[in-house]
Amino acid sequence: MSRELAHVRQELDCQVCLSLLFDPVTLPCGHSFCRVCVLRASDHVHGCPLCRAPFYYDALGCASSTVLRSTIVSLFPAEYAARRQELEEEGAILPLDEVDRPGDGPIVFSLPLFPLNCVVFPGEKFQLFIFEPRYVLMLKHVMRSSRCLGLVNSTCVRDTNAVGVLLRIENVAPVGPHRFLVNTVGALRFRVRSFHECESYLVGMLETLRDTPEQCETEPTLSQGRGNPGAEATAREESERLHLGEQHESGTATVSCPVQTPEQASPCAELSSAAVARQLLDYLRTNQRNSYVTAAERAVDSQAYDEASFLMSHLLVRDVPSRQLLLEMTSTRSRLQALAQMVWGKPQRASGTASMQGRSSSMRGRLHQMRSTCTTQ
């Protein structure tokens, strides 16, 4: 290491832990510290840990210094990786790289649980308003460590097999004394194995939940015939099978209704995930255009049909019980088929609230049946 680089390295030490800065934040006084160190110090010192200069916002709202962090990573990658491993072993941060990495089996980890009467899908942005003292304390704990929390439907929060979603915290905005708006995004699903209370809030022992691999779920690749007119024509013919049947009006767009009714076998039962996903994507393009539709397009183009199915579920399903059933499904194909049945199912003749309730109840019944079939298989 050159003399100049050694001098730079000395300036990149956190003055609280005396180690290399990790996820650095810069306070208004100009001093930089590890995020974990600032949050730990904020429990005892209401200001800069070094010069005691006050700053007039909560430490939870400190934004990461992205330029400083990228500089540290580029100059000292090995030491930064060792620092990450050290904090993971201490339990100060969650090993998200390991959690996100697909493996042979589920990965078990511990995380605070936030019960709420709603369901969030992976890839969906969600805003929390936290004001209860116990959850403010929980927020401080997760912000000084993993910056993640587990969202579980409040109706099943104490079930040992409850399925929820891990929320990554993007930023925290104080809106008053001990009141915070927390912007998050759904990252991955988990199943609760056990839980216990820690300082008045729940902490769960969780395991990752992924869709089971299925055969014949991808479109032809370059090596399998993509670019081959015959193969592409076959895929188009398979996709167009969804459009067989009578036409009816749904909202502002005309969609196709399959020949079979919801009480009969699924009209998409013989179609691949690729075909159903593209038909649902065409329907969404016709009815709305937003960032979720764009993200679903990218997921379908990259053949990430599980990711696309969750984005489409967010756009198409609103009632909480149906969303919970879709979240619990472990088959991408079944999830896409359930969405297709909802979109192209036989239209209800009744009108008003009773019609909507009947359609929602019918949807939940079909989801229960499809989930049971998927489980037995």
Side-chain angles (χ1 to χ4, degrees):
M1 183 183 297
S2 65
R3 180 179 301 178
E4 292 80 5
L5 191 59
H7 177 71
V8 172
R9 171 62 188 83
Q10 292 178 357
E11 295 297 323
L12 295 177
D13 274 341
C14 172
Q15 296 304 307
V16 174
C17 64
L18 302 180
S19 299
L20 181 67
L21 288 166
F22 183 84
D23 191 14
V25 295
T26 302
L27 302 182
C29 61
H31 293 123
S32 297
F33 306 91
C34 303
R35 173 181 294 279
V36 173
C37 296
V38 169
L39 291 170
R40 287 174 176 172
S42 66
D43 291 338
H44 310 283
V45 179
H46 299 288
C48 173
L50 187 61
C51 67
R52 299 297 192 267
F55 51 92
Y56 300 99
Y57 53 84
D58 196 280
L60 292 176
C62 294
S64 298
S65 179
T66 55
V67 174
L68 182 57
R69 180 174 57 189
S70 61
T71 301
I72 295 173
V73 172
S74 61
L75 291 178
F76 310 101
E79 191 173 355
Y80 194 82
R83 182 87 171 103
R84 173 187 289 276
Q85 184 177 359
E86 176 187 344
L87 291 173
E88 289 176 356
E89 292 174 354
E90 291 178 5
I93 63 173
L94 185 69
L96 286 177
D97 292 339
E98 181 182 353
V99 171
D100 289 342
R101 189 185 308 124
D104 296 332
I107 298 172
V108 179
F109 59 100
S110 177
L111 204 65
L113 299 178
F114 187 80
L116 200 63
N117 187 26
C118 68
V119 175
V120 177
F121 293 109
E124 178 182 350
K125 292 185 178 295
F126 189 70
Q127 188 176 73
L128 295 169
F129 178 49
I130 294 182
F131 58 91
E132 288 189 44
R134 55 176 173 168
Y135 294 124
V136 171
L137 178 63
M138 180 194 72
L139 181 62
K140 288 185 177 182
H141 288 172
V142 300
M143 287 299 291
R144 72 179 56 167
S145 55
S146 63
R147 293 174 64 88
C148 295
L149 54 88
L151 182 70
V152 183
N153 193 329
S154 57
T155 60
C156 57
V157 64
R158 292 186 178 273
D159 294 345
T160 53
N161 287 321
V163 175
V165 67
L166 183 147
L167 296 180
R168 293 180 188 267
I169 297 177
E170 295 186 326
N171 57 72
V172 178
V175 293
H178 307 293
R179 293 172 177 266
F180 303 93
L181 283 178
V182 184
N183 293 312
T184 69
V185 60
L188 53 86
R189 294 178 298 162
F190 60 78
R191 189 184 301 277
V192 179
R193 296 180 59 175
S194 62
F195 57 86
H196 64 276
E197 287 196 7
C198 175
E199 300 189 45
S200 73
Y201 61 84
L202 289 178
V203 175
M205 185 60 66
L206 317 173
E207 64 178 13
T208 54
L209 180 65
R210 306 182 190 278
D211 283 356
T212 55
E214 299 176 7
Q215 300 295 326
C216 304
E217 290 298 300
T218 59
E219 297 176 302
T221 60
L222 288 174
S223 61
Q224 297 172 337
R226 176 164 287 190
N228 184 330
E232 291 185 348
T234 302
R236 283 196 300 271
E237 290 175 2
E238 185 183 43
S239 299
E240 289 170 358
R241 291 171 58 190
L242 274 176
H243 286 297
L244 297 177
E246 57 179 328
Q247 300 286 323
H248 71 275
E249 293 292 329
S250 175
T252 59
T254 302
V255 298
S256 300
C257 179
V259 176
Q260 294 173 308
T261 64
E263 289 74 17
Q264 295 174 315
S266 169
C268 311
E270 298 179 1
L271 297 183
S272 66
S273 295
V276 183
R278 290 205 173 276
Q279 289 297 327
L280 287 170
L281 190 58
D282 290 341
Y283 172 78
L284 289 171
R285 287 195 192 107
T286 304
N287 287 272
Q288 53 185 305
R289 191 73 183 182
N290 53 40
S291 60
Y292 288 106
V293 177
T294 304
E297 289 175 344
R298 290 196 298 266
V300 171
D301 290 340
S302 61
Q303 299 186 8
Y305 301 116
D306 54 345
E307 178 183 344
S309 69
F310 288 123
L311 294 169
M312 294 174 182
S313 297
H314 163 63
L315 292 169
L316 294 171
V317 183
R318 284 290 175 263
D319 67 293
V320 174
S322 296
R323 289 171 70 94
Q324 182 66 33
L325 289 171
L326 288 167
L327 186 72
E328 294 175 0
M329 283 185 173
T330 56
S331 168
T332 302
R333 189 173 186 176
S334 297
R335 191 179 302 111
L336 289 169
Q337 288 173 2
L339 293 174
Q341 281 191 349
M342 184 192 69
V343 173
W344 290 289
K346 187 174 181 179
Q348 301 289 330
R349 296 186 180 276
S351 59
T353 306
S355 173
M356 295 299 296
Q357 291 177 346
R359 183 172 183 177
S360 177
S361 176
S362 176
M363 174 65 179
R364 288 196 293 271
R366 293 197 298 273
L367 288 174
H368 273 298
Q369 183 179 5
M370 297 183 74
R371 187 180 65 169
S372 301
T373 303
C374 178
T375 303
T376 55
Q377 291 176 350

